[in-house]
Amino acid sequence: VLSQYSRQRNHLQDQTMQTLVRAIEIRDPYLAGHHQRLAKTALTIAKDMDLDAQQRSTLFYAAQMSGIGMIFVPQEILTKPGKLTAPERKKLQEHVKHAKTVLDGVEFDLEIEPVITQMHERLDGSGYPKKLKGDRIDLLAQILGVADVYCALTSPRIYRKGMKHQEALEILNKDAKAFNADAVKALSKLAK
């Protein structure tokens, strides 16, 4: 009975998560499929880095839920065809705060909230929202951050075409002090 209850609970969590992901992706057509692609990329990195099953599960669910705060970002910022102004970028970056608010009090069997709220931090302190540096950033957040930048660069946006694999890697390597080197190295092994 407990096993059946556990399966039903997991199924309901998955359905709820997929519903939220669809809501996020409907608001911004350029995010369509992003979260699935992000999860796949993060899991590929995790496998190369020999992370355990619990870490991979955490990455998968964090990737799926990583855009939840975007629901609160104004539509005109999400779909703006040009470069964002400093105030618009600041407003966009508030998605992390909104994600934390949404996820507070939600019971997950895995620690996905710190991964989501730290995935935009950078090892050199140039990220957001708290300008964390180095090992103060959760390893899984570092991996998800690399995967997110890679997926964003290689996907088309309203203001540009998607980059080729090698171009995205060059950008990640150029900013090597900001990104987890092992995660970037794992990405370089992806089929070109």
Side-chain angles (χ1 to χ4, degrees), residues 43-95:
L43 291 176
T44 299
I45 294 170
K47 183 178 178 187
D48 187 79
M49 292 176 67
D50 289 326
L51 298 186
D52 64 36
Q54 183 171 348
Q55 291 171 308
R56 290 192 310 265
S57 291
T58 301
L59 269 174
F60 174 79
Y61 286 107
Q64 293 291 310
M65 297 298 293
S66 65
I68 191 70
M70 292 293 192
I71 291 173
F72 302 96
V73 175
Q75 186 76 23
E76 61 272 11
I77 291 176
L78 290 176
T79 57
K80 183 177 178 179
K83 188 174 180 178
L84 296 179
T85 64
E88 288 169 334
R89 194 170 25 265
K90 186 174 180 172
K91 191 79 167 162
L92 176 71
Q93 291 175 352
E94 289 178 0
H95 74 92

Side-chain angles (χ1 to χ4, degrees), residues 72 94-106 113 117:
F72 302 96
E94 289 178 0
H95 74 92
V96 177
K97 176 183 74 173
H98 297 304
K100 183 168 178 37
T101 300
V102 169
L103 295 172
D104 275 351
V106 177
E113 186 263 334
T117 58

Side-chain angles (χ1 to χ4, degrees), residues 101-166:
T101 300
V102 169
L103 295 172
D104 275 351
V106 177
E107 282 190 42
F108 290 101
D109 295 337
L110 305 163
E111 291 291 319
I112 69 165
E113 186 263 334
V115 178
I116 292 171
T117 58
Q118 293 179 18
M119 69 183 278
H120 298 285
E121 300 287 358
R122 298 295 176 251
L123 295 176
D124 62 1
S126 65
Y128 67 90
K130 295 184 177 180
K131 305 269 185 223
L132 298 178
K133 287 185 176 184
D135 63 1
R136 291 189 60 215
I137 305 167
D138 182 277
L139 173 64
L140 299 181
Q142 293 176 38
I143 292 168
L144 195 57
V146 168
D148 186 56
V149 169
Y150 175 81
C151 289
L153 291 172
T154 57
S155 297
R157 293 294 186 251
I158 195 167
Y159 51 89
R160 65 161 171 79
K161 293 180 180 179
M163 294 180 185
K164 291 186 177 9
H165 171 77
Q166 198 56 44

